[in-house]
Amino acid sequence: MPINIDTVYQKVLAVANKEQKGYITPQEFNLFASQAQLDVFEQYFYDINTISKMHGNDTEYSDVLELTNEKLSLFKIRSNTLSFSGGSGPNQNVFILPSNLYSLGTIVYEGFKEVEPINENELLHYFASPLAEPTLARPVYTKIAAGVKVYPGSIQSNITCTYIRKPNPAKWAYVVVPTSSGSEKAMWDPTNSTNFELHETEETKIVQKILELAGIMTEEQNLYTSIDRENTQKQIQEKQ
């Protein structure tokens, strides 16, 4: 289940108050929250890359890799049919990738044919060789800033893709209400709020990241790190 945005907000405010660092406004919190979520999300890719390069088949490393992939699986998507843009110039005949794409997986033609990725400078070689030339049965694609170009050029529809999407920005929405003292305060509006999308075990790490971004370095940082480490170890043990 997602990490509740209000739970994190209240924890951050409690620590800020304890450390006498002043009040963190909802606007500041939302900026820090979205950045913290993105930092944790991007760390998954670094961890996977690092662990995958380690030699041997150590069980603990394997379990950490499996756990990280499990957390990342929340963001793996199969797209709808990609829009095709005829256009002109270098962006001619381009399939437009999803706007929330973070990392591209596989390009698929007609629902089951995997389209092979190649570099732009390989195109001449492919088209110069009768054996390597792209066909409807063996299409290829190049990735450019505007999207992907699929070859042969007669393919102008029925292209989908798998990809890892970006997490949606977290948002602590609120309404302003009067207090008994005559002042005003922000009250949480759950209807218009957006929870964190990360795995629920990442809550302590999110709190820690937000505090770091807010410039609040506390003795509790070591506690948060310890809790996060214990949660990871517990999940590893449960998998064994």
Side-chain angles (χ1 to χ4, degrees):
M1 60 185 297
I3 301 172
N4 185 275
I5 188 78
D6 187 54
T7 300
V8 173
Y9 185 51
Q10 298 306 326
K11 287 183 177 181
V12 168
L13 290 186
V15 174
N17 182 62
K18 178 181 177 181
E19 298 297 318
Q20 298 181 338
K21 297 295 183 178
Y23 178 68
I24 299 176
T25 68
Q27 294 88 345
E28 291 172 330
F29 173 81
N30 286 334
L31 288 174
F32 298 147
S34 292
Q35 184 59 53
Q37 177 173 238
L38 187 60
D39 287 348
V40 174
F41 172 78
E42 291 182 334
Q43 184 67 34
Y44 294 156
F45 296 90
Y46 174 82
D47 291 342
I48 289 173
N49 183 57
T50 301
I51 296 171
S52 298
K53 291 180 179 179
M54 292 179 176
H55 298 290
N57 58 350
D58 186 277
T59 301
E60 183 173 348
Y61 285 134
S62 298
D63 287 337
V64 171
L65 182 60
E66 180 183 351
L67 179 59
T68 305
N69 276 312
E70 179 183 321
K71 293 177 178 179
L72 198 55
S73 68
L74 300 172
F75 302 93
K76 293 181 178 179
I77 300 291
R78 176 67 177 265
S79 76
N80 295 320
T81 301
L82 300 183
S83 299
F84 180 76
S85 174
S88 60
N91 293 334
Q92 185 177 11
N93 299 337
V94 173
F95 285 93
I96 309 301
L97 293 170
S99 60
N100 63 346
L101 180 144
Y102 182 85
S103 177
L104 182 61
T106 304
I107 298 294
V108 181
Y109 175 50
E110 293 186 331
F112 64 94
K113 297 177 186 176
E114 182 175 345
V115 186
E116 179 188 354
I118 64 171
N119 296 322
E120 191 77 25
N121 57 11
E122 294 179 289
L123 275 177
L124 288 178
H125 167 73
Y126 270 73
F127 280 102
S129 170
L131 293 178
E133 185 176 0
T135 65
L136 294 179
R138 194 179 64 253
V140 301
Y141 79 88
T142 59
K143 190 173 184 297
I144 62 175
V148 294
K149 287 188 172 185
V150 178
Y151 302 91
S154 57
I155 298 178
Q156 299 184 359
S157 61
N158 296 324
I159 291 292
T160 59
C161 72
T162 61
Y163 68 101
I164 296 176
R165 67 173 178 83
K166 303 172 186 175
N168 293 318
K171 179 183 179 182
W172 191 84
Y174 65 97
V175 292
V176 178
V177 296
T179 66
S180 57
S181 64
S183 60
E184 295 180 329
K185 69 174 183 178
M187 177 178 289
W188 181 43
D189 176 11
T191 302
N192 294 306
S193 293
T194 304
N195 289 324
F196 295 96
E197 294 191 295
L198 300 178
H199 194 279
E200 58 187 332
T201 58
E202 303 289 25
E203 181 178 309
T204 53
K205 191 178 293 183
I206 284 289
V207 172
Q208 178 184 354
K209 287 282 185 181
I210 294 173
L211 290 172
E212 290 175 354
L213 290 169
I216 302 174
M217 305 302 291
T218 76
E219 293 181 0
E220 295 190 26
Q221 298 291 349
N222 290 332
L223 172 62
Y224 291 134
T225 302
S226 176
I227 291 173
D228 182 68
R229 188 183 302 113
E230 289 177 5
N231 286 338
T232 299
Q233 187 63 38
K234 180 179 179 182
Q235 290 180 71
I236 292 173
Q237 292 172 349
E238 289 174 348
K239 290 176 177 290
Q240 295 175 343

